[in-house]
Amino acid sequence: MSAKLLDGKGISKEIQKETKVKVEQFIADHGQPPVLAAVLVGDDPASQVYVRNKERACARAGIESQLHRLPATSTTEDILAKVIELNETPKVNGILVQLPLPEQADSRVILDAIDPQKDVDAFHPHNVGLISQGRPQFLPCTPHGIVQMLKRCGLETTGKSVCVIGRSDIVGKPMAMMLGQKNSNLGPEMANATVTLCHSRTQNLASIAQQADILIAAIGRPNFVTPDMIKPGAVVVDVGINRTDQGLVGDVDFDSGKEVAGFITPVPGGVGPLTVTMLLENTLMAAMIQSKPIV
Ligand code: NAD
């Protein structure tokens, strides 16, 4: 058996086209484009690539992007000053601080300082709280993209058993929260799952994973998920991006995994493009929220 590929790249293009149309309408209504400000601290090569990809995607969608570079030696206070400046700049609708930050900077303090209305990564406790209560303002880009992809491929989550491996604040935890809710921004069929959140201390992980109709791996370990961990016919979503001597690989052993799974995302070309795409959607959403009349 060979799994069907979930074409994140193609779906991203489709969503970006839709976003572009909505951005054009926003510009027609408000006379200016949504604006995303990225803060890049230091010169980590992977972060430079991610930020460049985000800038290019913004340009394609008609969203204005700003890049604020700070030196690798920046302190928490230096980065905070930049975030506060951007919070107070009305023209800026969305702020993203590219992670990871240099060791001396306190990421938690910095992310907490972003205005929740401009928090397009949805990392602020205010936004995380809203997600946990099932009434999100913004959804974190990677889980948001995964739900979009599943929906557009006709893969509903309601009533399904889902195993999420990895409990990061960026991917695993919000993914588990979102799929376990009663409803989603795409309707109840893209929520209402029975979710198991696995992590580094989980016992019998392989057998838990093997029972899942939908398996989402966000671990950061190359080829961690092997065929014995996949239920035959399951939907396998590979979030991992691991740089190895063999090039970029995911958290799922793709070649053997695709023989068991029913659907599988490739790496690259799966979840990655969707993450950038949902950042555009969130920036547009931020601009719309901020342009609403105050009542
Ligand atoms: P993280 O390092 O913050 O968290 C990893 C999680 O994996 C932890 O919760 C940990 O408990 C779990 N884990 C580690 N070892 C484990 C083990 N042996 N068994 C079970 N669980 C284990 O990671 P993250 O930020 O969520 O990123 C995970 C991966 O996804 C990385 O490869 C990252 O590069 C990638 N990523 C991709 C995208 C994308 O757009 N495709 C976005 C974000 C992250």
Side-chain angles (χ1 to χ4, degrees), residues 108 112 116 119 121-140 169-170 173-174 177-178 181:
R108 176 54 72 205
D112 284 2
D119 174 34
D121 271 329
F123 295 160
H124 192 284
H126 174 84
N127 286 316
V128 177
L130 290 176
I131 295 165
S132 80
Q133 292 183 347
R135 49 184 187 125
Q137 172 173 248
F138 299 112
L139 292 168
D169 290 339
I170 297 172
K173 225 184 284 173
M177 270 199 296
M178 286 161 60
Q181 298 287 355

Side-chain angles (χ1 to χ4, degrees), residues 123-204:
F123 295 160
H124 192 284
H126 174 84
N127 286 316
V128 177
L130 290 176
I131 295 165
S132 80
Q133 292 183 347
R135 49 184 187 125
Q137 172 173 248
F138 299 112
L139 292 168
C141 300
T142 304
H144 193 180
I146 291 171
V147 177
Q148 280 282 349
M149 176 183 64
L150 295 177
K151 166 84 177 176
R152 286 166 191 254
C153 294
L155 299 167
E156 298 186 351
T157 60
T158 187
K160 297 282 162 50
S161 72
V162 173
C163 174
V164 180
I165 313 179
R167 59 177 160 188
S168 72
D169 290 339
I170 297 172
V171 186
K173 225 184 284 173
M175 184 81 266
M177 270 199 296
M178 286 161 60
L179 294 179
Q181 298 287 355
K182 275 190 175 175
N183 209 341
S184 79
N185 61 326
L186 298 176
E189 68 276 17
M190 299 314 299
N192 288 301
T194 304
V195 184
T196 308
L197 181 58
C198 295
H199 46 75
S200 52
R201 304 286 177 94
T202 299
Q203 293 185 0
N204 306 321

Side-chain angles (χ1 to χ4, degrees), residues 50 142 165-172 198-202 205 217-221 224 238-242 249 251 270-276:
Y50 289 140
T142 304
I165 313 179
R167 59 177 160 188
S168 72
D169 290 339
I170 297 172
V171 186
C198 295
H199 46 75
S200 52
R201 304 286 177 94
T202 299
L205 190 147
I219 312 156
R221 290 180 181 244
F224 180 92
D238 190 352
V239 182
I241 301 176
N242 305 292
V249 301
D251 288 346
V271 176
L274 287 159
T275 298
V276 179

Side-chain angles (χ1 to χ4, degrees), residues 202-221:
T202 299
Q203 293 185 0
N204 306 321
L205 190 147
S207 69
I208 296 170
Q210 215 266 346
Q211 288 167 38
D213 302 313
I214 301 172
L215 178 60
I216 302 173
I219 312 156
R221 290 180 181 244

Side-chain angles (χ1 to χ4, degrees), residues 216-273:
I216 302 173
I219 312 156
R221 290 180 181 244
N223 304 322
F224 180 92
V225 175
T226 44
D228 57 307
M229 298 162 79
I230 301 172
K231 180 176 174 176
V235 177
V236 177
V237 177
D238 190 352
V239 182
I241 301 176
N242 305 292
R243 280 159 226 282
T244 71
D245 295 342
Q246 285 76 48
L248 276 192
V249 301
D251 288 346
V252 179
D253 185 337
F254 182 82
D255 288 337
S256 57
K258 76 176 179 356
E259 298 306 320
V260 183
F263 299 85
I264 192 165
T265 59
V267 175
V271 176

Side-chain angles (χ1 to χ4, degrees), residues 72-153:
T73 50
S74 301
T75 62
T76 302
E77 288 67 32
D78 296 332
I79 306 168
L80 267 182
K82 176 53 74 181
V83 166
I84 291 164
E85 176 198 316
L86 295 171
N87 280 344
E88 291 171 354
T89 306
K91 183 183 176 201
V92 169
N93 302 118
I95 301 170
L96 84 86
V97 175
Q98 184 63 44
L99 299 176
L101 290 172
E103 243 175 41
Q104 75 279 2
D106 188 333
S107 305
R108 176 54 72 205
V109 168
I110 291 158
L111 296 179
D112 284 2
I114 295 175
D115 179 342
Q117 307 297 320
K118 299 189 177 187
D119 174 34
V120 286
D121 271 329
F123 295 160
H124 192 284
H126 174 84
N127 286 316
V128 177
L130 290 176
I131 295 165
S132 80
Q133 292 183 347
R135 49 184 187 125
Q137 172 173 248
F138 299 112
L139 292 168
C141 300
T142 304
H144 193 180
I146 291 171
V147 177
Q148 280 282 349
M149 176 183 64
L150 295 177
K151 166 84 177 176
R152 286 166 191 254
C153 294

